[in-house]
Amino acid sequence: MKPLYSGSLLLLITACSPIPQYETPANAPQAQIRSEMDALFNRRNYLTLSAAPTIACKYGRSVPVAPARQLFSVRGGYPSEPEGFRAIESGKPIHLVLEGGASGNRRCTVDFVSEFMPGARYVIKGGITDGPNVMSGCQVSIVDLDSGVRLFQAKPSAANGCALDRLTPPTP
């Protein structure tokens, strides 16, 4: 019975572990980025901006081979953490994911790809949106601080080439 108990404890501990922090690869060109995201003034609201997990084809299936890496997080009524600028890899496309949550078990996700210019400084704006026509969504924009131009955000590619992912299940 002890192996079952210790295995359950290990599963509980790993399920509660935080997302690892984003670190720029060694010797990679860098840009600077700062967060001005807003989760509104509700203690249950949160936002997390992360570099998406690396997905690869393994045994014919799409599987994450590297975990998501968190850039910024914010809770309702508090400033983004970490504060100030931080380095991000530049000169190549990077897949980012903004995830948010609000009271009433509402969730939103913005999944996009952007490319940062080496040496440039950027600010991330946006967050949870609520209003008479919106039931809780997320929005995000990244602005170049020197030029004031919004950074292009492309949709990520859905195809990864795994043979089993391309199969369609039989229709009943």
Side-chain angles (χ1 to χ4, degrees):
M1 196 56 132
K2 282 187 178 187
L4 180 60
Y5 177 73
S6 61
S8 299
L9 183 60
L10 179 64
L11 182 62
L12 180 64
I13 291 170
T14 57
C16 296
S17 62
I19 297 175
Q21 290 294 310
Y22 177 84
E23 293 179 16
T24 55
N27 300 323
Q30 298 179 0
Q32 296 294 312
I33 192 165
R34 179 183 79 209
S35 170
E36 291 182 4
M37 296 186 302
D38 186 10
L40 303 177
F41 290 102
N42 184 329
R43 63 183 172 84
R44 293 188 182 113
N45 295 357
Y46 70 89
L47 289 165
T48 303
L49 181 71
S50 304
T54 305
I55 305 295
C57 191
K58 193 171 189 178
Y59 308 116
R61 292 275 185 213
S62 299
V63 294
V65 292
R69 295 162 297 143
Q70 182 175 300
L71 280 159
F72 297 101
S73 67
V74 62
R75 291 260 172 212
Y78 294 98
S80 289
E81 292 179 0
E83 292 186 46
F85 285 97
R86 69 180 301 177
I88 188 167
E89 187 175 7
S90 62
K92 73 176 206 173
I94 185 168
H95 184 179
L96 299 173
V97 178
L98 176 70
E99 296 178 322
S103 59
N105 220 10
R106 298 174 291 172
R107 306 247 185 278
C108 59
T109 302
V110 179
D111 199 6
F112 62 97
V113 175
S114 285
E115 185 173 340
F116 300 92
M117 297 301 297
R121 295 179 319 142
Y122 297 91
V123 65
I124 298 173
K125 297 182 179 210
I128 294 177
T129 57
D130 269 335
N133 299 327
V134 179
M135 184 56 182
S136 185
C138 290
Q139 66 177 3
V140 64
S141 66
I142 303 174
V143 178
D144 185 322
L145 280 177
D146 299 325
S147 68
V149 175
R150 264 184 78 181
L151 194 62
F152 179 71
Q153 297 169 318
K155 297 276 184 212
S157 172
N160 65 358
C162 287
L164 292 179
D165 291 342
R166 292 192 304 265
L167 296 176
T168 56
T171 55

